[in-house]
C-alpha cells in the first residue's frame, strides 16, 4: 500500500505526463481516482504552464482575412 | 472593471465574438500553423479551435490566468489531438505557402506576466531540461520521440520533463500569487 505522499507524487507525475502525451485507459482511470483523493490539487496548473511555454516561443502572424470571415460567419446564431 | 472578451461571449454578447476574433485570431492561426503540415489543415484546425473557444468561454476564470493562456490551452489540446490522429495516417499533402504574405509581418506574442515568467523559468533550467520541454511542449513530441531524437534514455527524458514542468509551474504560481 503506497503512502499518501507517494500517491500525491504519483498524481503530479500523471498530471505532467497528461500534458505531453496520451495516458492509456488504466492511467486515465488512476488519474481520476487520485484527483478525487486530492480535490484541492489544481488539475490544470501544468496545462497552463505548457500554454505559457508555448506562448513564450511563438511569433504571431495575422490570420488570413477569408478564414476570419468564415469563422465569424460560423459563430453567428442561425 | 470591464468584463473580459470571454466573459462577454459567455454572457451572450454577440459583439464580443468579433472582438475575440480581432484580439486572438493571430494567436490561434500561429498555433495552428505551428502544429499543422498544410494550409488547409491549419485552417480546419483554426475553425475547430474557435468552435471550442465559443463553447468553453463560460469556463474562463481570470484568477487562473490570462485569456491568451486559456485560449492557448484549448488550442494546444485540440492541435495535439489532431497531430496524434494524423500520425496514424500517411502524410500526402505538401505544405502550401501561397496564403502567407511575402513580407514578414510576424510579431512576438504580447508579453503578459505569465509569458515573462515562463521565459524566466525556461532560462533558469538546465539546457537538457529546456531542450526536453521545448521538444515536448513546443514541437508536440512524445517522450519516446524525444528519447529517440536526443539519444537519452526514456526514463531520463521523463524525469527531465517532470522536473522542468514543476519548475515552470512553480514560478507561474508565484507570479500569479504576486499579482493577486
Amino acid at each position: 500500500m503506497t503512502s499518501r505522499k507517494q500517491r500525491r507524487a504519483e498524481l503530479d507525475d500523471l498530471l505532467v505526463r497528461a500534458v505531453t502525451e496520451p495516458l492509456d485507459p488504466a492511467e486515465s482511470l488512476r488519474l481520476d481516482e487520485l484527483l478525487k483523493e486530492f480535490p484541492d490539487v489544481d488539475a490544470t496548473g501544468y496545462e497552463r504552464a505548457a500554454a505559457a511555454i508555448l506562448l513564450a516561443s511563438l511569433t504571431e502572424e495575422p490570420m488570413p482575412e477569408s478564414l476570419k470571415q468564415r469563422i465569424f460567419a460560423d459563430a453567428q446564431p442561425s | 472593471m470591464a468584463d473580459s472578451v470571454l466573459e462577454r461571449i459567455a454572457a451572450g454578447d454577440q459583439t464580443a465574438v468579433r472582438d475575440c476574433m480581432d484580439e486572438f485570431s493571430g494567436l490561434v492561426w500561429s498555433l495552428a500553423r505551428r502544429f499543422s503540415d498544410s494550409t488547409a489543415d491549419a485552417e480546419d484546425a483554426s475553425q475547430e479551435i474557435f468552435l471550442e473557444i465559443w463553447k468553453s468561454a463560460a469556463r474562463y476564470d481570470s484568477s487562473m490566468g490570462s485569456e491568451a493562456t486559456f485560449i492557448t490551452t484549448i488550442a494546444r489540446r485540440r492541435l495535439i489531438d489532431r497531430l496524434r490522429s494524423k500520425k496514424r495516417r500517411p502524410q500526402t499533402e505538401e505544405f502550401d505557402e501561397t496564403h502567407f504574405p511575402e513580407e514578414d509581418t510576424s510579431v512576438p506574442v504580447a508579453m503578459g506576466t505569465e509569458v515573462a515568467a515562463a521565459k524566466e523559468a525556461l532560462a533558469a533550467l538546465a539546457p537538457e531540461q529546456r531542450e526536453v520541454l521545448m521538444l515536448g511542449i513546443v514541437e508536440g513530441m512524445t517522450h519516446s520521440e524525444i528519447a529517440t531524437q536526443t539519444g537519452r534514455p526514456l526514463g531520463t527524458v521523463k524525469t527531465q520533463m517532470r522536473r522542468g514542468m514543476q519548475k515552470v509551474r512553480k514560478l507561474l504560481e508565484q507570479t500569479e500569487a504576486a499579482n493577486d
Side-chain angles (χ1 to χ4, degrees), chain B residues 10 16 25-26 31 58 69 74 87-88 101 103 107 135 150 177 180:
Chain B
S25 61
L31 288 167
T69 299
I74 290 173
K87 279 180 180 170
R88 293 197 281 274
E103 72 274 18
V107 293
L135 289 175
T150 60
D180 282 342

Side-chain angles (χ1 to χ4, degrees), chain B residues 30-45:
Chain B
S30 304
L31 288 167
R33 277 198 60 203
R34 168 70 69 89
F35 286 90
S36 302
D37 52 13
S38 71
T39 305
D41 193 44
E43 290 179 355
D44 285 346

Side-chain angles (χ1 to χ4, degrees), chain B residues 108-123:
Chain B
V109 171
M111 182 85 79
T113 53
E114 296 142 310
V115 173
K119 284 192 174 185
E120 185 185 335
L122 284 169

Side-chain angles (χ1 to χ4, degrees), chain B residues 122-152:
Chain B
L122 284 169
L125 294 177
E128 298 82 14
Q129 273 181 350
R130 184 165 53 247
E131 182 185 22
V132 164
L133 257 66
M134 296 303 279
L135 289 175
I137 303 299
V138 177
E139 302 297 327
M141 287 187 180
T142 64
H143 293 164
S144 299
E145 288 166 346
I146 295 170
T148 301
Q149 168 123 343
T150 60
R152 284 173 221 149

